[in-house]
Amino acid sequence: MRRLESLRRRAVLGGTAAALTGLAGCNSNTNDSESAEPSPSSPDQNKTEDTTTQPEKTVFDGGDLSDFLDAVEKAAATTSGQLEIESGTYRFEPFEQESAPGGYHLFAYDTRGVSIEGNDATFVFAEPTVGGLRFEFGRNIEIRNLEIDYDPLPFTQGEITAYDEASRTVEVKIDEGYPSLEHSMFTAAQRVWASIHLPDGSLISGYQAENPLFFRRHGLVSGDSNYSLMKKVL
């Protein structure tokens, strides 16, 4: 019982506010009122067990697009459907899928019930001649805070040097430092389109972005940087 008194004094001097529990390891077969004196409780005894069920969450933190597709399918199989992408920049080559049509870096079929949190991550696709992600016949798919980019960027720009209203064509000289329209990213693409802008970047009056010009590949005028663009005929 001397050890008990010592513990009690240390508990009081230490200013502990923890509740005291019954004494363990001490004979209680005495007749005085101090036969069952309490002792300081251990830290573990004061812990409350957290029985809250945490939602299942799948995490993608790197790999190729096959790994990303695995993470999507794994998340879809959980009750929460949550997929979290760790913040960062991920560069991807196209994922060759035997049973999927071409034209995309990744093709996902019949994906359902997935919520993808991008955490401001960036997916950089390395093949500019094909699309990025395609979810076909999917349902309840949500993607937030994810940036999509290409490197190289399937883009070029130039200055209009001539316009022929009768033939519905314009001639364009590609700006220095930008890829030629003979680049494989354009020649291998199913279609190449262009839009006309003012020097400040705004569209010209009466021109609609959804009614673009289409590159006429045989319309090379002179040199590698001059091209003829044909107005789309609706």
Side-chain angles (χ1 to χ4, degrees):
M1 295 301 294
R2 290 180 180 178
R3 176 174 173 78
L4 172 62
E5 294 297 330
S6 176
L7 288 173
R8 292 178 63 191
R9 284 196 296 272
R10 285 202 298 270
V12 173
L13 292 175
T16 180
L20 301 181
T21 62
L23 179 64
C26 183
N27 189 347
S28 61
N29 292 328
T30 59
N31 294 325
D32 56 37
S33 59
E34 295 184 357
S35 60
E37 293 190 15
S39 64
S41 60
S42 67
D44 290 341
Q45 290 174 315
N46 290 328
K47 289 183 178 179
T48 302
E49 184 178 355
D50 185 4
T51 58
T52 304
T53 301
Q54 298 297 325
E56 297 175 89
K57 183 192 302 181
T58 305
V59 177
F60 176 76
D61 58 2
D64 57 21
L65 282 174
S66 65
D67 297 314
F68 178 69
L69 181 59
D70 287 344
V72 171
E73 293 175 344
K74 181 179 178 181
T78 66
T79 55
S80 69
Q82 294 184 17
L83 172 58
E84 187 165 312
I85 301 171
E86 288 196 356
S87 180
T89 299
Y90 305 86
R91 183 179 176 88
F92 298 117
E93 298 289 339
F95 174 37
E96 299 295 335
Q97 299 166 268
E98 294 182 0
S99 59
Y104 299 94
H105 278 74
L106 177 66
F107 183 90
Y109 183 81
D110 199 27
T111 302
R112 303 190 179 194
V114 177
S115 177
I116 301 174
E117 171 55 54
N119 289 311
D120 297 323
T122 300
F123 280 9
V124 179
F125 297 129
E127 179 49 66
T129 63
V130 299
L133 305 175
R134 181 179 179 90
F135 292 90
E136 187 162 300
F137 294 104
R139 183 181 300 173
N140 298 329
I141 301 172
E142 181 180 22
I143 302 177
R144 300 184 304 271
N145 305 317
L146 178 64
E147 181 175 334
I148 303 296
D149 203 352
Y150 275 84
D151 182 25
L153 192 68
F155 171 83
T156 193
Q157 69 179 41
E159 181 181 356
I160 294 176
T161 58
Y163 169 63
D164 188 325
E165 185 174 0
S167 64
R168 298 170 64 85
T169 62
V170 295
E171 293 179 8
V172 175
K173 180 177 177 61
I174 301 300
D175 289 346
E176 184 177 355
Y178 285 86
S180 162
L181 286 174
E182 299 304 308
H183 192 287
S184 60
M185 74 174 75
F186 301 116
T187 60
Q190 293 180 354
R191 64 176 184 172
V192 178
W193 60 272
S195 57
I196 301 176
H197 300 258
L198 294 174
D200 64 0
S202 61
L203 290 169
I204 62 174
S205 177
Y207 183 85
Q208 298 179 353
E210 62 270 18
N211 189 17
L213 302 176
F214 281 85
F215 171 47
R216 189 169 56 189
R217 286 191 174 87
H218 62 272
L220 186 64
V221 178
S222 62
D224 289 338
S225 61
N226 292 276
Y227 297 88
S228 173
L229 298 178
M230 180 175 59
K231 188 74 167 69
K232 179 181 179 183
V233 179
L234 298 178

